[in-house]
Amino acid sequence: MTSRPKVIVGPPDSRGLREIAIGGTKVGSAWSLHDLRKVLSHIGYPRDMDVEDRKSVYWREADSGTWPDRVWRRRTTMALMMTGLFGSMLLLAVVGSPDAVGALTFAGRITGFLFVLLGGVAGVAALAVLDFWGKRQLHISGAIVLIGTLIALATNSLLLFLWLQEREYTRYLFAYFPLWCWSLWALWLLIREKAWRGTPYPKRFAAGVAATTLLAGVNFAYSTMYQPTSSPALFRLKAEFGTPRIDPGLDIIHLPLALEVKNTGKVPAYIINDNYSVHGLLGDFSEGTGGLKERKKAMEGGDDVARYSRIPQKYALSAGLFYGPGAWLEPGEEYREEKLVQLPRYAGFDAIQADLTVELMRKDRGKVDLDELLVPHPSWKNKEGDFYCPPAKCGEYVTYRAPIRHNNNLINVTRRPVYVTSIWSVTHDDSYSATFVSSSLDFVPKVAPRGVVGAEKENKRERERYGVLTVDAQAVVPFAELVK
């Protein structure tokens, strides 16, 4: 042994690992005396060498009996770190992958791709744990673990912040809240271990982490807040009567009605509900004394007032769906349909009025499951389950319902599932339609004609979030014009 260089065994570090050097060069590290002999045998030293011989082995700061490795504590820490990082990787993949492959906007896809990429970094960091809590043969393993932990802390903090805005139940809360708590513990542990030591360029490393986080935040803000509101949704709705024809044999007026909707903006949109109706108007005429008639009633209902007639009574002549829930319009696309209204020549109305209402939802705000929205559910049929409601209690109506996914999956994992519910009904005297965007599924059976008991506040908030808007059109023709 006198011809071999002296072996220098360093003091144990915070984990109990001791560095082994020969001639000033590190050759390995050991957790125990058995581990030390194993390392030395690999470089040519005999297994049975005398480690107490000071001419062969020099023990720095601690003798050969000092091996403070806490195996179970170290392995438990490794297991907890890997579990948290792998959990963050899976969560980021679940959050980011739907947007990365199917977002409706380019910024949304970039945001989704960044989350998937960050999840991949968290997965690499989980593997680096084995080295950092092992013999640290890779100098940057601590920095990699630190990056993964910072990613987990930043993303889970973002998810928790978004959840706190509404505080709605979602099963994903049981993923990112524990992971957020874990990331705080993991960051404290890595700071205590000074995990950044050994990083070649620590300032560049910190700048790279900050730039990546800033880029992800800017893309999220752009895809969630700015872009869906930067382009206004513009639609043109038209209801127009055509030239009437009189059937002399039956003394019936055939009145054509053209209904049209066109997307004149740059935003595609779903049609989630619509309704058209035709009414005969019959007023009560007077000599005009006393000024404008029924002023209070008109002010309450937003109707017109006149000197020589009271607010006309409406009599339903025709009603129906126009395009129907489940259709959509791309920018520049239009849909036109011709209807035919038939009424006797002797009907005696003052005027004929057509009303068209279409409710639309911006496609850049979310995605509607059209397969479900196309299915009608009559309220009067027992087989419809939750959609059934006794006619004596609720009247008769048809429900269309489908889930909505926001265009940014971060919103989907921090909110309850949201549904669009469209209702269309025809009574003996009129027809009406209503649309609700809500996470509630139990308010529909409470629908009664002309009103809904339920989550109006939530409905208003979700309609604004998903860009639901209502467009109306009206046409009126004097009845005298028809019978000329």
Side-chain angles (χ1 to χ4, degrees):
M1 291 296 296
T2 55
S3 61
R4 294 180 183 273
K6 180 180 286 189
V7 177
I8 300 176
V9 182
D13 63 11
S14 59
R15 300 164 301 142
L17 186 67
R18 304 188 71 169
E19 185 179 288
I20 305 169
I22 297 177
T25 303
K26 180 181 177 180
V27 296
S29 53
W31 297 105
S32 63
L33 190 59
H34 173 76
D35 209 7
L36 171 66
R37 294 183 182 277
K38 187 176 179 180
V39 171
L40 294 177
S41 67
H42 285 165
I43 56 177
Y45 287 81
R47 279 261 186 182
D48 58 349
M49 69 175 291
D50 184 7
V51 296
E52 300 294 341
D53 183 4
R54 295 191 174 185
K55 295 180 180 180
S56 303
V57 182
Y58 174 68
W59 299 88
R60 293 181 56 189
E61 299 185 20
D63 58 20
S64 60
T66 306
W67 302 95
D69 178 28
R70 299 176 181 177
V71 179
W72 287 108
R73 180 179 178 179
R74 177 165 55 87
R75 291 179 178 175
T76 300
T77 301
M78 290 174 61
L80 289 174
M81 290 296 297
M82 293 185 71
T83 299
L85 287 168
F86 276 130
S88 297
M89 178 192 72
L90 292 174
L91 180 61
L92 288 169
V94 169
V95 172
S97 55
D99 288 342
V101 299
L104 299 173
T105 61
F106 177 74
R109 295 198 177 195
I110 292 296
T111 302
F113 174 76
L114 281 175
F115 270 80
V116 173
L117 179 62
L118 293 175
V121 174
V124 173
L127 298 177
V129 168
L130 296 172
D131 181 76
F132 184 68
W133 264 272
K135 295 188 176 182
R136 296 185 180 176
Q137 297 177 352
L138 185 64
H139 292 296
I140 61 172
S141 62
I144 294 175
V145 177
L146 180 59
I147 290 175
T149 302
L150 289 174
I151 288 173
L153 178 60
T155 53
N156 287 298
S157 296
L158 174 61
L159 293 171
L160 192 59
F161 171 75
L162 292 174
W163 177 82
L164 286 171
Q165 291 181 342
E166 303 293 344
R167 295 187 295 277
E168 297 176 347
Y169 170 78
T170 169
R171 65 181 185 274
Y172 293 102
L173 178 64
F174 298 101
Y176 48 76
F177 180 70
L179 285 172
W180 179 76
C181 296
W182 167 88
S183 62
L184 292 176
W185 167 80
L187 183 60
W188 167 81
L189 183 63
L190 291 169
I191 291 174
R192 191 185 68 176
E193 293 287 338
K194 297 182 179 180
W196 57 87
R197 288 187 300 186
T199 306
Y201 304 101
K203 291 184 178 180
R204 294 183 183 179
F205 160 73
V209 172
T212 303
T213 304
L214 179 63
L215 180 61
V218 169
N219 270 281
F220 166 72
Y222 179 76
S223 62
T224 305
M225 292 176 284
Y226 173 73
Q227 190 178 42
T229 57
S230 60
S231 299
L234 301 173
F235 298 89
R236 186 185 69 207
L237 215 60
K238 185 193 239 183
E240 186 177 25
F241 287 112
T243 302
R245 295 289 184 269
I246 297 179
D247 187 335
L250 299 176
D251 211 18
I252 291 177
I253 299 175
H254 302 278
L255 179 60
L257 173 62
L259 305 175
E260 180 183 309
V261 59
K262 182 175 182 178
N263 186 346
T264 58
K266 299 180 180 180
V267 180
Y270 296 104
I271 293 180
I272 55 178
N273 205 355
D274 62 41
N275 175 61
Y276 88 91
S277 60
V278 181
H279 293 85
L281 305 183
L282 187 59
D284 183 12
F285 289 91
S286 65
E287 296 180 355
T289 57
L292 298 175
K293 304 293 189 296
E294 299 181 302
R295 296 183 302 277
K296 294 181 180 179
K297 183 177 179 181
M299 287 188 288
E300 290 177 359
D303 297 315
D304 296 332
V305 293
R307 173 178 290 274
Y308 295 100
S309 65
R310 297 183 182 277
I311 297 174
Q313 297 294 318
K314 289 185 176 182
Y315 298 88
L317 303 178
S318 178
L321 291 175
F322 170 46
Y323 208 168
W328 72 89
L329 293 171
E330 297 293 333
E333 184 179 0
E334 64 180 292
Y335 176 76
R336 180 183 174 90
E337 189 171 327
E338 299 283 346
K339 304 289 185 179
L340 184 63
V341 182
Q342 296 176 310
L343 65 160
R345 189 174 181 180
Y346 56 81
F349 294 112
D350 300 322
I352 305 298
Q353 176 179 299
D355 295 277
L356 175 61
T357 300
V358 178
E359 293 193 88
L360 306 107
M361 191 191 94
R362 300 171 60 122
K363 287 185 73 174
D364 62 346
R365 296 283 184 93
K367 184 177 181 181
V368 179
D369 189 335
L370 298 181
D371 290 336
E372 290 195 30
L373 190 61
L374 288 169
V375 180
H377 301 280
S379 66
W380 57 89
K381 291 187 177 181
N382 288 314
K383 66 178 183 179
E384 292 297 336
D386 292 339
F387 295 97
Y388 169 74
C389 188
K393 176 182 178 183
C394 303
E396 297 171 342
Y397 57 91
V398 176
T399 301
Y400 301 84
R401 176 186 290 160
I404 305 177
R405 288 185 61 84
H406 198 275
N407 71 326
N408 192 309
N409 203 37
L410 286 172
I411 302 299
N412 296 322
V413 300
T414 54
R415 301 287 188 271
R416 289 182 293 186
V418 176
Y419 298 83
V420 56
T421 303
S422 299
I423 297 171
W424 182 65
S425 176
V426 178
T427 65
H428 293 292
D429 301 319
D430 204 353
S431 67
Y432 76 95
S433 61
T435 300
F436 307 91
V437 184
S438 171
S439 59
S440 176
L441 293 178
D442 59 355
F443 68 89
V444 173
K446 299 177 183 177
V447 174
R450 305 291 185 180
V452 173
V453 180
E456 286 298 333
K457 184 177 180 181
E458 182 186 10
N459 175 49
K460 181 179 179 181
R461 182 188 71 230
E462 298 298 341
R463 286 175 69 96
E464 292 177 355
R465 174 176 293 160
Y466 288 96
V468 177
L469 64 152
T470 303
V471 187
D472 300 292
Q474 188 178 87
V476 180
V477 61
F479 189 77
E481 186 73 20
L482 307 181
V483 297
K484 278 184 180 180

